[in-house]
Every structure is written in C-alpha cells, then in structure tokens.
Amino acid sequence: MKAITFNRLGPPDVLQLTELPVPSAGPGTVRVRVQTAGVMPIDAKVRSGSVPYAQSHPFPIIPGNEFAGIIDEVGDDVSEFVRGDEVIGFTLFGGYAEYAVVSSDQLVRKPAAMPWETAGGFTGNGQGAHMGLEAIRIQPGDTVLIHGAAGGLGTFAVQLALAWGAGRVIGTASEANHDHLQRLGAIPLGYGDGLAARVRAIAPAGVDAALHAGGGDGLAARVRAIAPAGVDAALHAGGGDDLALQASVDLVQDLSRIVAMVPSVRAQTLGIRQLTGTRSKERLAELVRIYNEGKVDIHIRKVLPLDQAREAHREIESGHGRGKIVLSV
C-alpha cells in the first residue's frame, strides 16, 4: 500500500511517499480502506518533535489521527461492523495511508449524505471542541466567549456551543474572519487592547464561560508577508493570547469555567486550566448525531492528493487560511 511516512523528526521534507505491506485486521480490529484523512496541527507537531508522541514510537511512522473510509476486513470478536460499512475513525498514527487497522472502538458509521472530504476532517476538531465545551460546562442560555473562534477547532466550538443551547457566543478573530463568525451565529470581536471592555459592551454582566481554542489566527502568515524567509529571533513580551487570557479572567466569575486548549505558562499563572480528556466513540457518535440534525459542519479549505502531504504540512504550519485541509487517498 502507499503511505506517507517519516523516519526522523524534522521539517515537512522528512515526509515520504512509501510502499508498505498491507496490514491485516486482528481480534477486535477492522481494516479500513481510507478514502480521506484530515491534516491536523498536531500531526505537524508530532512530525517536528515539538510534542513527545513520536519519540517512543518506532520509525517509520505514518502520521494522521483522523480519517474516513470503507471497512474491507473484519477481525475476530467484532460484531458491530461488516465489510462495506462506511466509517469515520480516529487514531494516534496511521491515517495518511491507503489502509488503516484500528480498534472497532475508534469508529462510528459515516452518515450516507456526509461527503468524504467532510468525514475525513470531522473527528479531530470536533472531539477537541466537545471536550473543551464539556469541560467549561455549557448550560442553556449561557453567554460563551471563544478565543480563536475562526480556526478549525474554534469554528466547531462555536457551532457546538449553540447546538447545546448557549444563548450567545462571542468569538475573537482577526477582522478578515468576522463575516465567517457571523455566518456561524457568533458575535465577532477583534483581538488586542480593550478586549474585556469590548466584550462588556455586548455582555455587561460578563460571560459565563470561556474557551481558548487558539488565538491570533493567521499571525504566522501575516509575518511571512513581511519576511518570507521567516525571522531570526523572537521575544514574547505579552499581548495576543496573554490579553485574551487576562480578559477571560476579568469576565468569568468561576475560573473553573475557563479552559485553554493549548498549554501556556500565562494560563497556568492566571489559574486557567489546560484541557484534559480523551477522544471516544461516544463523543464522535454524538457529534455525528448533531451533524445529522444540521447543527454542525466543517469548512473544507483544500483537498490535496496523498502525495502532497508535505505541502499540506507547510500550509497547516503557516497559520494561513481558514478551515480544514484534507488528503484524498
């Protein structure tokens, strides 16, 4: 089978299109003929070594933690699925390949009307948003503040918060993405000084909960527009995410209802929790149900063939663009 692999940590150029043996399904697992695989920022961090997941895993590594496809082999002790079932799946590694073998507990059935491109990029940001909103205990009627609301995870979180009954969702994003947030049903606000005051102009009593899904969307791209080769050094002296974190503390009475999706020293200093949780079949099944109700969807930015995985990683690391990049396998 064809698969994208890497044999060492490094830049996108370490990704190679490789021929590997087709794996077989064992007890409790199924083999999926992959149709599409989502490209996530975490995939690029694993490849670069900035997160530790790959460091204890033998090379070659097949990246990719979300995918969709058709079951073509069923192992012993699996009764829920049969050959020919169309499924959405999640895994730690293995999505960027023609075939993936995963536990049946990592799959749900794909809705017949869901496009393959959507299915391949559905579970990663969807489950992340689900975990984040569950952690801040969204209640019907809540006013919710989502930072980085135009990103892949933020876009899903806006829709899911409204689907769960939030009364208002206020989302921070660059001005270019304000129309996008309005279409999702959120009230858009820009980043920067005075953020808490701008939120209070909309919600004088403050907000009930806040989710930091990112922030500063497109910053890397805007820097590269000035310095295409990148910069030689950088000093983070505050601002940006720090202002957003401080605004959340100023606006939310109960600090347990603020969660940061990305680790941050500043968040820890302010007493803001970092997200913890695990993906699960049950989470994904609920998200599919809400999709079927027409309450959540994802925006596909670009679909690339499998052999352009390097380009997909370069783009995902640039911070440029809105929506999901998906590999067509």
Side-chain angles (χ1 to χ4, degrees):
M1 70 172 185
K2 291 183 173 61
I4 297 297
T5 65
F6 59 96
N7 285 288
R8 61 183 177 87
L9 304 179
D13 287 350
V14 303
L15 298 175
Q16 303 287 335
L17 183 65
T18 310
E19 286 283 349
L20 295 174
V22 176
S24 297
T29 69
V30 301
R31 184 174 69 198
V32 178
R33 181 159 46 88
V34 177
Q35 302 296 301
T36 51
V39 180
M40 295 282 292
I42 189 66
D43 299 341
K45 292 177 181 179
V46 167
R47 183 217 71 233
S48 69
S50 63
V51 295
Y53 305 131
Q55 295 172 9
S56 60
H57 196 280
F59 293 114
I61 292 173
I62 303 172
N65 71 88
E66 59 177 353
F67 63 92
I70 303 167
I71 292 176
D72 81 332
E73 186 178 56
V74 179
D76 294 338
D77 304 322
V78 175
S79 58
E80 184 180 354
F81 298 105
V82 298
R83 287 187 63 190
D85 283 345
E86 297 183 348
V87 293
I88 302 171
F90 60 94
T91 182
L92 184 58
F93 301 114
Y96 297 7
E98 290 183 315
Y99 293 91
V101 172
V102 297
S103 167
S104 60
D105 289 336
Q106 295 166 242
L107 299 169
V108 301
R109 282 180 174 78
K110 181 185 82 70
M114 179 185 281
W116 282 114
E117 292 81 3
T118 298
F122 188 78
T123 179
N125 289 328
Q127 293 213 52
H130 191 288
M131 283 186 274
L133 294 177
E134 182 180 69
I136 61 175
R137 307 189 304 279
I138 295 296
Q139 304 294 322
D142 276 350
T143 295
V144 182
L145 177 62
I146 297 177
H147 294 291
L153 193 148
T155 290
F156 213 119
V158 168
Q159 297 173 88
L160 188 56
L162 292 170
W164 281 356
R168 285 187 297 183
V169 173
I170 301 169
T172 60
S174 59
E175 188 173 349
N177 286 318
H178 284 192
D179 286 349
H180 169 66
L181 292 185
Q182 287 176 330
R183 286 192 294 271
L184 295 176
I187 303 168
L189 285 178
Y191 301 114
D193 291 331
L195 175 59
R198 294 197 300 278
V199 173
R200 286 193 186 279
I202 299 166
V207 297
D208 298 294
L211 180 69
H212 288 254
D217 57 313
L219 175 59
R222 294 195 299 275
V223 173
R224 288 192 185 279
I226 302 168
V231 297
D232 300 301
L235 175 66
H236 185 80
D241 285 349
D242 286 356
L243 290 173
L245 291 164
Q246 183 63 59
S248 293
V249 171
D250 293 343
L251 292 161
V252 180
Q253 284 191 329
D254 182 353
L255 289 187
S256 73
R257 299 194 68 190
I258 309 173
V259 163
M261 301 294 292
V262 180
S264 163
V265 173
R266 180 59 173 162
Q268 186 176 10
T269 301
L270 290 170
I272 295 174
R273 291 184 298 149
Q274 180 188 334
L275 178 71
T276 57
T278 57
R279 294 183 293 178
S280 73
K281 184 187 188 93
E282 292 73 25
R283 289 188 198 279
L284 183 52
E286 181 182 358
L287 292 170
V288 168
R289 176 183 62 77
I290 296 172
Y291 173 87
N292 282 332
E293 294 172 352
K295 295 179 179 178
V296 297
D297 202 354
I298 64 172
H299 171 67
I300 302 297
R301 182 197 322 177
K302 186 177 291 187
V303 179
L304 295 171
L306 182 65
D307 60 7
Q308 290 187 26
R310 289 181 180 179
E311 176 60 29
H313 274 225
R314 291 188 188 101
E315 186 160 341
I316 207 77
E317 288 181 314
S318 76
H320 176 67
R322 180 176 67 230
K324 292 289 298 190
I325 299 175
V326 175
L327 296 176
S328 175
V329 182

